[in-house]
Amino acid sequence: MVSIDLDGAAVDFPIFDAKTRSLKKAVLGRAGGRIGTGSKVPIIEALRDITVSLRKGDRVALVGHNGAGKSTLLRLMSGIYEPTRGRSSVIGKVAPVFDLAVGMDPEISGLENILIRGLFLGMTRKQMESRVDDIAAFTELGDYLKMPLRTYSTGMRVRLALGVVTSIDPEILLLDEGIGAVDAEFLAKARNRLNELVERSGILVFASHSDEFLADLCDTAIWMDRGTIREHGPLREVLRHYKGRDVLAEIEATR
Amino acid sequence: MTTGDDRAEEATSVPAVMPEAAPSRSWRRAFDDLGQGWRQRPLWGYLGWQDIKQRYRRSVLGPLWISITMAVVATAMGILYGALFGEDIRTFLPYVATGLLIWYFINGCILEGSEVFIANEGLIRFLPAPLSLHVYRLVWRQTLFFLHNLVVWGILAAIFRPPLGWSLLLAIPAFMLLIVNGAWITVLTGIIATRFRDIPPIIASLANLLFFVTPIVWQYDTLLKNPAVAERARIAELNPVLHFVEILREPLLGEPIVWHHWIVVGVITVAGCIAALVCLRNYRSRVAYWV
C-alpha cells in the first residue's frame, strides 16, 4: 500500500543566530541571570495546519507563489522533515527529486555517481548496474561516463541526474521545480521518460510554475499560500482560482 | 524492466519511510533509524571507501600514504621520546606505533564525529536517509584507516618480535569495543554539535590535550615505578582514553592483560550507548531542522 497522510502537520524552523546558537549564552546566562528575551529562539512557521491524504494513483500539482511552502511540503512528504506539530505518515518508497546537484561528487566518474545516487534512492547495487547501459543511452554521454564529473558541463550533469532519476522505480515520486530549470531541448526529450516514470510510480507530487508541464502530468492540484493549503481539488479548478483564468483551456486551445 | 524478484529485492532496501505514525520522539523510531541505516551497508560501505580514495586521488601511492605517514610519525616519535626517556628502542618503537595506531582511530572518531551531521548538511536536507547512515559511514572510514595503519604494526611486530601469545585474540573484541564507542560518541556529539556550534572547536582542543595525557609517547608503568611521582601518576587513570588504549595495546604487544581496564571500558560503553540512544530518541528528528 502506498499512501501519504498528513494530519494537522506543521513545520517550524528555529532561527539561531550566532549568539543563540552557541553555548555562551546558555552558560553566561545562568551566571548573570536572564537578559531580556534572549533565551527565546525566533521561529519561522513554514507550514501550518496541513491536512492531506494521498493514495495510489494520485497525480498532484503543487502551485503557489515563491515562499508559499511548496518545497517544504515536499520535504515533509519525503520524511526529511518530521512535523513539529501534528502527524505525518508516509508509506512507500520515496524518490525525491529536489536538487539534482546534491549527492553528486565532482571528483568521481559519472558511472560512480550514478551508482551512489541510485543507492541513495533506495536501489540495490545490482539493480543500478543493470540500468547503467540504459542511462548511458538516454544521457548520450557515452565514454564521458568514465570521466570525473568535474569535467562535465552543467547540461551534462543535468542529463546524468535526470537519467538516474528516471531509471528508478519509485512508489512515491516528489518532483521539485528545480528540474524545470533544465534547458528546454533536453527536457522535451526527457518528457517521455518522465511520463513513463510517473506511470510507474504510485503517487506523484509535482511542484512547478510551468502550467503546461503540470497539465501533462497531473490531474489534481494543491494551492499553497503562506504555509497553508488554500485549495485542494481538480487541477482545472485550482489553477483557475490561482491564476484567475482557465489555464487548461488555453493550453488545450494552443495544441 | 521490473521483474518480480527485482521488487522483492527492493523491499529489503526501502529507505527512510515511516511505516506507521509512530511519534517522532519514540524509541521505536530511534531503533528504526539504526536498523535502516544498517541495512544500507552497500551505500555507506561504498561511500566510506570513496572518502579514502578521494583523499589520495591522483597520487601515485594512493591510500598507501596512510600507512607511510603513520610509519614516519611513529618512527620519529619512537626515536625522539625513546631517547628522552632513556627507553630501549626495541620495545619502545612498537609501543609508540601501537599507541598511535589506536589513538588515530579514537581521535578520528572524536574529531570527525562532532562534525558528522554538519559536514553532511546537503545530503541531510535533500535526500531522506536515516541519520545513522552518516554515523556508520564515518566509523567505517575510520576502521579502514585503522586497517591501513595496522600494516605498520605488523611490520614492526615482525622486526622487533614482541612476545605475542594467545592473548592477541583479545585484540578483536577490544577493537569491536572501540568501534561501538566510536559510534555512540559520533551520535551524541554529532547531534549536540549540530545544535551548538561551539562544540566542535571545544572538542578539537580537548582532543589535542588528550593526546598528551594519554600514555602513547610515554609509559605509564615507568611513572608508577618511580616512587617520586607514583602517587600522582595514578591520576592518569582518570583519563578514559587510557583504558581504551590499554585494552587494545596489551594484546597487540603481548603484554599481560590488566582486566580493570576492560571493566572501565565496559562501563563507559554501556553508559555512552544509553546516552547516545536517549539523544537519538529525543533529537533525531530535529537534526534536519538544525543543520
Side-chain angles (χ1 to χ4, degrees), chain A residues 1-249:
Chain A
M1 201 190 79
V2 183
S3 68
I4 297 176
D5 287 288
L6 303 175
D7 181 16
V11 169
D12 299 328
F13 287 105
I15 303 301
F16 307 109
D17 60 85
K19 279 174 194 159
T20 54
R21 202 170 205 176
S22 74
L23 276 179
K24 197 167 83 186
K25 219 163 197 177
V27 176
L28 297 183
R30 194 138 306 156
R34 259 165 65 164
I35 303 160
T37 54
S39 65
K40 192 89 178 152
V41 178
I43 277 171
I44 291 181
E45 286 188 329
L47 293 178
R48 265 175 300 134
D49 199 23
I50 302 289
T51 301
V52 64
S53 277
L54 302 179
R55 290 290 173 271
K56 196 175 167 73
D58 283 351
R59 307 267 175 265
V60 187
L62 267 187
V63 296
H65 296 293
N66 291 332
K70 299 189 294 294
S71 300
T72 312
L73 181 57
L74 283 176
R75 290 201 211 164
L76 180 67
M77 287 174 168
S78 75
I80 292 173
Y81 296 134
E82 288 171 25
T84 33
R85 281 170 281 132
R87 278 154 27 99
S88 85
S89 164
V90 179
I91 300 170
K93 195 171 84 159
V94 180
V97 184
F98 300 156
D99 189 328
L100 293 172
V102 168
M104 292 278 176
D105 188 331
E107 291 301 323
I108 61 180
S109 72
L111 282 174
E112 288 169 307
N113 269 302
I114 288 177
L115 179 62
I116 290 180
R117 174 53 72 101
L119 288 172
F120 259 116
L121 292 174
M123 307 293 280
T124 63
R125 212 174 163 137
K126 226 185 265 170
Q127 287 171 336
M128 283 321 288
E129 274 159 12
S130 69
R131 283 163 167 78
V132 160
D133 287 341
D134 175 47
I135 296 172
F138 168 68
T139 55
E140 298 170 354
L141 286 170
D143 283 342
Y144 242 100
L145 284 176
K146 297 192 182 87
M147 295 286 136
L149 197 72
R150 70 187 140 81
T151 62
Y152 288 33
S153 71
T154 315
M156 288 162 84
R157 286 178 200 216
V158 172
R159 281 171 181 237
L160 186 77
L162 268 181
V164 180
V165 164
T166 53
S167 74
I168 57 171
D169 302 309
E171 288 170 331
I172 297 173
L173 181 62
L174 306 172
L175 294 176
D176 205 348
E177 54 201 338
I179 64 157
V182 177
D183 71 287
E185 203 177 321
F186 187 70
L187 203 59
K189 186 186 169 186
R191 195 163 243 182
N192 284 336
R193 252 177 102 94
L194 268 177
N195 276 327
E196 282 171 30
L197 174 67
V198 169
E199 289 295 314
R200 287 203 299 276
S201 57
I203 294 178
L204 166 77
V205 185
F206 184 22
S208 175
H209 291 292
S210 156
D211 298 328
E212 259 185 70
F213 228 164
L214 291 175
D216 260 8
L217 297 177
C218 307
D219 47 27
T220 56
I222 292 176
W223 175 8
M224 294 298 296
D225 189 24
R226 277 171 247 169
T228 55
I229 294 180
R230 176 118 170 225
E231 193 179 350
H232 181 188
L235 181 67
R236 181 179 291 264
E237 281 179 31
V238 175
L239 272 185
R240 194 169 57 214
H241 297 151
Y242 171 54
K243 298 260 170 164
R245 58 180 208 275
D246 194 342
V247 186
L248 286 198

Side-chain angles (χ1 to χ4, degrees), chain A residues 12 16 21-23 75 78-80 82 84 87 90 92-93 96 102 105 107-108 112 119 122 127 169, chain B residues 2 6 10 13 17-18 21 24 29 43 46 50 54 124 128 195-198 284-286 288-290:
Chain A
D12 299 328
F16 307 109
R21 202 170 205 176
S22 74
L23 276 179
R75 290 201 211 164
S78 75
I80 292 173
E82 288 171 25
T84 33
R87 278 154 27 99
V90 179
K93 195 171 84 159
V102 168
D105 188 331
E107 291 301 323
I108 61 180
E112 288 169 307
L119 288 172
Q127 287 171 336
D169 302 309
Chain B
T2 308
D6 213 14
E10 272 170 37
S13 66
V17 294
M18 291 168 253
S24 286
R29 294 288 290 276
L43 178 56
Y46 192 82
Q50 229 22 278
Q54 185 85 335
I124 290 174
R195 173 67 182 78
F196 298 102
R197 299 296 169 101
D198 292 282
R284 179 191 54 80
S285 62
R286 301 299 300 158
Y289 288 86
W290 288 342

Side-chain angles (χ1 to χ4, degrees), chain B residues 22-202:
Chain B
S24 286
R25 283 191 183 193
S26 62
W27 290 111
R28 180 182 190 132
R29 294 288 290 276
F31 283 109
D32 277 353
D33 187 284
L34 292 173
Q36 279 168 7
W38 183 249
R39 279 195 293 281
Q40 287 186 286
R41 282 190 298 284
L43 178 56
W44 52 258
Y46 192 82
L47 290 171
W49 264 117
Q50 229 22 278
D51 289 338
I52 292 207
K53 284 203 272 178
Q54 185 85 335
R55 211 166 289 193
Y56 299 96
R57 192 155 287 267
R58 290 170 65 188
S59 81
V60 180
L61 295 177
L64 205 57
W65 275 115
I66 302 169
S67 316
I68 296 172
T69 311
M70 156 87 184
V72 170
V73 173
T75 312
M77 282 197 170
I79 292 172
L80 172 66
Y81 286 91
L84 280 177
F85 296 125
E87 303 277 357
D88 179 1
I89 198 74
R90 278 168 299 177
T91 55
F92 196 66
L93 195 53
Y95 174 86
V96 170
T98 313
L100 273 178
L101 163 76
I102 303 163
W103 169 253
Y104 280 153
F105 180 83
I106 296 173
N107 190 44
C109 288
I110 295 177
L111 280 189
E112 293 179 25
S114 60
E115 305 254 15
V116 64
F117 302 125
I118 302 172
N120 286 304
E121 180 189 345
L123 290 177
I124 290 174
R125 286 176 54 189
F126 287 98
L127 289 170
L131 275 189
S132 59
L133 175 88
H134 309 289
V135 177
Y136 292 128
R137 172 187 182 178
L138 186 147
V139 176
W140 171 237
R141 178 171 71 231
Q142 294 303 330
T143 304
L144 290 173
F145 275 124
F146 179 86
L147 293 176
H148 278 93
N149 288 335
L150 198 60
V151 173
V152 177
W153 168 82
I155 293 169
L156 289 176
I159 298 172
F160 295 105
R161 307 235 162 232
L164 297 176
W166 283 107
S167 67
L168 184 59
L169 288 176
L170 277 175
I172 296 165
F175 186 61
M176 294 291 171
L177 278 172
L178 252 68
I179 287 181
V180 172
N181 281 277
W184 76 249
I185 205 157
T186 301
V187 171
L188 188 68
T189 60
I191 291 177
I192 298 174
T194 309
R195 173 67 182 78
F196 298 102
R197 299 296 169 101
D198 292 282
I199 300 291
I202 293 175

